[in-house]
Amino acid sequence: MPYNYMEIQKKSTSHIHAVRIGNTPVDGGTRAFSLEIGGQNCLPFHHFEGTYPNRPIVAWEVTDVRPHDWCDTAAEPYLDVLDEPIAWARSVVERRGARLICLTLRGTHPDRENRSGAEAAELVTRLLREVNVPLIIKGAGPGEKQNQVLSACAEAAQGERCLLASAVEEHYKTPVASAMAYGHAVIAETPIDVNLCKQLNILISDLHFPPDRIVIDPLTGGLGYGMEYTYSVMERIRLQALDGDAMMQMPFICFVGQEVWKVKEVKVPEEKEPLWGDRKKRGILWEIATAASLLYAGADILVMRHPDAIAAVEKTIDELMVKT
């Protein structure tokens, strides 16, 4: 008997919150445009079951200091701007068409350059002045230092509706309060666990923070490093959301590049593993495969690094957004 998927389609009366990033002058900001993620009432790309109004977005990662630990394949396209975050951001926007920047404040980590919150805020101010696309501001890791940095950056970017990363269960009040005070959205990060994800969303909501300004980071590994577990957790979160669980109805962000470009499969030269093939192609394909898999799991924002991988994933998104 021929298979007819129309007979098993499932309509949902619930939907994922649409989250807006970036304020234009009309909204009181200076961005050239706003981006909106989420808003769907069906599983990823199930156009036959519901509406999928907003295309997933790729964010280009830019760091505040030279990322000495980046794999050379990922760093090579940006060699002329790696020490200049403003020039780096302008380069990917003007030459490569980036519509969303993720500024990672690695230099504020106490074990790196231990830059202050004031220094980070000054960089954010300059970046917002020089580049007019929406912005994700990512701290160096959970803890009191990150809270200080994000708070300073949130104030510097007041009214621009940036996306702050991240609030975690042990340190969520300061990032959320900063986002609320200065008009931003916030990322809620939990360690690949459905129940912990819901718990953090409840804690943030108890502070009267609007659910349509929360984005879930479920955490992930690269391909071959636990990504399939993240895939399963994201599916379960999304199914609960579409079944009406209000504390799960937030879109997802996945930091793909930082996970992919640290695994051995993208670093080992072909002289040591000739059967693995060309190392540069291998790394790019690893980032594409990881990002594409997370798209199918429901990712609404993918933070990536290599331009060739981003181009391939953008094409994949275009194809997946076509209704069939």
Side-chain angles (χ1 to χ4, degrees):
M1 177 180 295
Y3 176 76
N4 184 356
Y5 70 87
M6 296 300 290
E7 295 178 353
I8 60 170
Q9 62 179 310
K10 182 179 180 180
K11 302 285 187 181
S12 173
T13 57
S14 301
H15 67 277
I16 307 304
H17 289 294
V19 175
R20 180 168 55 82
I21 306 169
N23 272 347
T24 65
V26 173
D27 307 308
T30 61
R31 304 301 84 198
F33 54 85
S34 296
L35 296 170
E36 191 170 85
I37 58 170
Q40 60 270 39
N41 64 351
C42 58
L43 289 172
F45 311 110
H46 282 212
H47 301 288
F48 56 92
E49 288 186 327
T51 58
Y52 215 89
N54 293 310
R55 182 184 188 280
I57 299 167
V58 176
W60 293 63
E61 185 174 0
V62 171
T63 65
D64 61 335
V65 296
R66 189 180 185 89
H68 293 286
D69 56 344
W70 274 28
C71 174
D72 55 356
T73 303
E76 186 272 335
Y78 314 110
L79 285 180
D80 58 334
V81 291
L82 280 179
D83 293 306
E84 299 290 339
I86 304 297
W88 187 349
R90 290 187 61 173
S91 172
V92 297
V93 170
E94 295 172 3
R95 294 170 50 195
R96 303 183 186 275
R99 291 172 56 78
L100 180 61
I101 297 293
C102 177
L103 175 65
T104 303
L105 298 167
R106 300 162 54 99
T108 62
H109 196 287
D111 294 337
R112 291 197 172 100
E113 298 188 17
N114 198 25
R115 291 186 174 184
S116 66
E119 290 175 288
E122 193 273 337
L123 175 60
V124 167
T125 300
R126 288 170 51 213
L127 185 58
L128 289 168
R129 187 167 58 236
E130 296 292 331
V131 178
N132 63 1
V133 304
L135 180 65
I136 300 170
I137 303 172
K138 186 176 186 298
E144 187 56 37
K145 179 62 186 294
Q146 175 170 274
N147 283 353
Q148 295 172 8
V149 169
L150 288 181
S151 181
C153 292
E155 183 176 4
Q158 181 173 8
E160 297 288 0
R161 203 176 179 94
C162 300
L163 181 56
L164 305 182
S166 297
V168 300
E169 185 172 357
E170 298 80 9
H171 298 276
Y172 70 93
K173 291 183 179 178
T174 298
V176 172
S178 299
M180 187 180 298
Y182 300 112
H184 303 297
V186 72
I187 294 172
E189 173 193 317
T190 46
I192 320 181
D193 187 284
V194 174
N195 294 326
L196 292 179
C197 172
K198 181 173 180 176
Q199 181 175 313
L200 180 56
N201 290 340
I202 291 173
L203 290 172
I204 293 174
S205 298
D206 284 347
L207 296 177
H208 304 292
F209 193 75
D212 62 357
R213 286 163 58 185
I214 300 173
V215 177
I216 294 172
D217 176 7
L219 288 187
T220 186
L223 177 66
Y225 289 82
M227 189 195 66
E228 67 280 7
Y229 189 55
T230 296
Y231 191 107
S232 174
V233 167
M234 290 172 68
E235 276 192 321
R236 291 164 60 194
I237 292 172
R238 189 53 52 88
L239 285 170
Q240 285 185 222
L242 295 177
D243 278 343
D245 190 331
M247 289 296 104
M248 295 296 214
Q249 293 169 343
M250 296 80 174
F252 289 119
I253 185 171
C254 293
F255 292 90
V256 177
Q258 69 179 23
E259 299 301 325
V260 166
W261 291 101
K262 66 183 181 183
V263 306
K264 67 178 182 182
E265 285 83 356
V266 308
K267 295 180 177 179
V268 175
E270 48 265 44
E271 291 79 12
K272 287 190 176 180
E273 292 289 350
L275 294 179
W276 290 6
D278 179 86
R279 185 167 66 91
K280 179 178 179 180
K281 291 181 180 177
R282 192 192 317 147
I284 294 169
L285 290 172
W286 217 270
E287 190 169 29
I288 294 171
T290 302
S293 300
L294 293 170
L295 276 177
Y296 285 111
D300 297 280
I301 300 177
L302 299 161
V303 182
M304 299 179 62
R305 291 182 180 173
H306 199 282
D308 291 351
I310 291 173
V313 170
E314 292 279 16
K315 183 180 179 184
T316 298
I317 295 171
D318 287 341
E319 294 172 351
L320 288 171
M321 287 303 292
V322 175
K323 295 180 181 179
T324 56

